[in-house]
Amino acid sequence: MKENLTWHFGAVSSAVRESLLKQRPVTLWLTGLSASGKSSIAYALEKLLLEKGKCSFVLDGDNLRHHLNSDLGFTAADRKENIRRTAEVAHLMNEAGLIVITALISPLCSDRQMAREIIGAQRFLEVYVNASAAVCESRDPKGLYVKARRGEISEFTGISAPYEVPDNPEFEVDSESDPVGLVAEKLYQHLAGQYFPK
Ligand SMILES: Nc1ncnc2c1ncn2[C@@H]1O[C@H](COP(=O)(O)OP(=O)(O)O)[C@@H](O)[C@H]1O
Ligand SMILES: [Mg+2]
């Protein structure tokens, strides 16, 4: 099939989009245990960006599983496909000029590396949302840890499936002691310094 396909180049460059939107596109790839605070931080940062006139959109793992990824489960293969599709969407949104914030556990280094390659290393910021397993389990806002301990959820990250801590993330945020608003503010300040041309 591919041999009969030709890439059709558009007439609008990324530089034109950047000057129109007054922002350089980037993806903040939030990774961390369930209940570490990825979604809370992602939506707080999105709100902050919009309030400052910046165009941003959250790709939340749980939300995507209601629609685009509703056919996928939690096996390693399905998690990989979940991440591949999300990264492809993030890439398209970056091409459109948006600042993308993803919130997926994305437990494996190899899958996050795949996301980095799909999105492009220059536009990819890995953000480790660090809260200990004990704290995440004590928060348990969705009651998932209780269910996983009862054996009602198979392949639950941190209990019956692995989480590989990022080796060298562009950012690490302390979501145990820093409140959500402060974490979002710190990430915003970083973006403001590097991604908002005058
Ligand atoms: N410092 C913090 N950072 C992020 N979340 C926090 C923090 N302190 C408490 N929380 C709470 O922890 C829970 C994290 O849930 P959520 O954002 O859904 O995590 P995840 O998307 O990583 O599963 C929320 O109930 C949130 O209010
Ligand atoms: Mg979440």
Side-chain angles (χ1 to χ4, degrees), residues 65-112:
R65 281 177 178 279
H66 282 86
H67 298 282
L68 177 67
N69 296 332
S70 59
D71 57 327
L72 301 175
F74 290 87
T75 62
D78 278 6
R79 283 178 193 251
K80 182 173 183 184
E81 177 61 8
N82 184 43
I83 288 164
R84 189 191 69 79
R85 289 183 199 171
T86 306
E88 291 286 3
V89 174
H91 176 244
L92 288 173
M93 288 186 163
N94 281 167
E95 288 289 289
L98 303 184
I99 294 169
V100 178
I101 311 158
T102 67
L104 288 80
I105 297 174
S106 40
L108 301 183
C109 290
S110 57
D111 289 349
R112 297 192 298 266

Side-chain angles (χ1 to χ4, degrees), residues 38-39 60 62 103 142:
K38 301 177 297 298
S39 299
D60 185 86
D62 280 9
K142 292 171 272 184

Side-chain angles (χ1 to χ4, degrees), residues 33-40 139 141-142 175 178-180:
L33 294 171
S34 180
S36 59
K38 301 177 297 298
S39 299
S40 306
R139 288 177 179 166
K142 292 171 272 184
S175 63
D178 284 358
V180 178

Side-chain angles (χ1 to χ4, degrees), residues 63-194:
N63 291 4
L64 290 176
R65 281 177 178 279
H66 282 86
H67 298 282
L68 177 67
N69 296 332
S70 59
D71 57 327
L72 301 175
F74 290 87
T75 62
D78 278 6
R79 283 178 193 251
K80 182 173 183 184
E81 177 61 8
N82 184 43
I83 288 164
R84 189 191 69 79
R85 289 183 199 171
T86 306
E88 291 286 3
V89 174
H91 176 244
L92 288 173
M93 288 186 163
N94 281 167
E95 288 289 289
L98 303 184
I99 294 169
V100 178
I101 311 158
T102 67
L104 288 80
I105 297 174
S106 40
L108 301 183
C109 290
S110 57
D111 289 349
R112 297 192 298 266
Q113 179 58 30
M114 173 183 67
R116 188 184 288 273
E117 285 163 18
I118 290 169
I119 289 162
Q122 328 82 299
R123 287 180 174 170
F124 187 90
L125 299 176
E126 187 173 26
V127 180
Y128 175 36
V129 179
N130 188 355
S132 67
V135 164
C136 291
E137 188 161 358
S138 71
R139 288 177 179 166
D140 204 11
K142 292 171 272 184
L144 297 177
Y145 283 90
V146 169
K147 283 191 187 169
R149 288 284 178 207
R150 283 201 220 116
E152 291 168 17
I153 305 177
S154 59
E155 308 205 60
F156 190 77
T157 302
I159 291 181
S160 45
Y163 180 78
E164 296 174 359
V165 171
D167 283 334
N168 200 10
E170 277 74 15
F171 280 100
E172 178 168 340
V173 299
D174 181 350
S175 63
E176 243 184 70
S177 43
D178 284 358
V180 178
L182 179 59
V183 173
E185 182 64 35
K186 284 182 180 174
L187 292 171
Y188 174 83
Q189 288 305 334
H190 175 78
L191 293 176
Q194 294 198 20

